[in-house]
Amino acid sequence: MMFEVPTTIRAANALHAERSMAALDTRLGGEHMPRRPQWDCQACEQDWPCDPARVRLAEEFEANRVNLAMYVGGLLDVAVAELPTADTADLYESSCPGPDDRNEVAPPPAGVRGRIILRN
């Protein structure tokens, strides 16, 4: 199978967004999917990503926060294109991975550098 190589940044971003959307059903197990083009959750009708979708994506990517950020960035590209009147700053803040206020940040054990996120 031959893949077309994008020749512009816009084409590369579009391809990344398309692939992110295509993988979403698998990553979320078909639950708490976004209703498009409104971008609210089909299951709980909250703005997407809803809390269950955030938890599922965080579990799916586990410790690889960089890949999670890149993946969610692809979804954000799609949401921005489908919600042209929405405030992009609000979309960014609601979709980008970050510490969840239900998680506690614990100090590292002796001899360990960094922070540990504890899940409820």
Side-chain angles (χ1 to χ4, degrees):
M1 175 183 259
M2 203 68 170
F3 291 102
E4 185 176 328
V5 177
T7 57
T8 65
I9 292 173
R10 179 170 291 188
N13 286 343
L15 181 61
H16 175 66
E18 181 182 315
R19 288 180 179 166
S20 294
M21 285 304 303
L24 190 58
D25 187 49
T26 301
R27 293 195 183 282
L28 292 178
E31 298 177 359
H32 294 278
M33 297 289 293
R35 180 181 298 120
R36 297 173 59 202
Q38 302 91 336
W39 284 84
D40 60 355
C41 178
Q42 292 177 3
C44 63
E45 299 181 1
Q46 300 297 314
D47 287 341
W48 198 91
C50 60
D51 286 342
R54 286 175 180 269
V55 168
R56 177 71 181 183
L57 287 171
E59 290 171 350
E60 185 72 21
F61 284 92
E62 214 164 308
N64 199 334
R65 307 263 308 159
V66 172
N67 281 356
L68 175 59
M70 291 174 59
Y71 180 74
V72 172
L75 299 174
L76 181 59
D77 282 345
V78 176
V80 167
E82 292 182 353
L83 299 169
T85 60
D87 182 356
T88 54
D90 287 344
L91 289 175
Y92 175 82
E93 287 178 18
S94 69
S95 66
C96 286
D100 190 310
D101 58 3
R102 293 182 315 242
N103 295 332
E104 300 174 34
V105 178
V112 176
R113 299 171 75 178
R115 300 185 305 178
I116 299 172
I117 305 291
L118 300 176
R119 295 181 189 262
N120 291 347

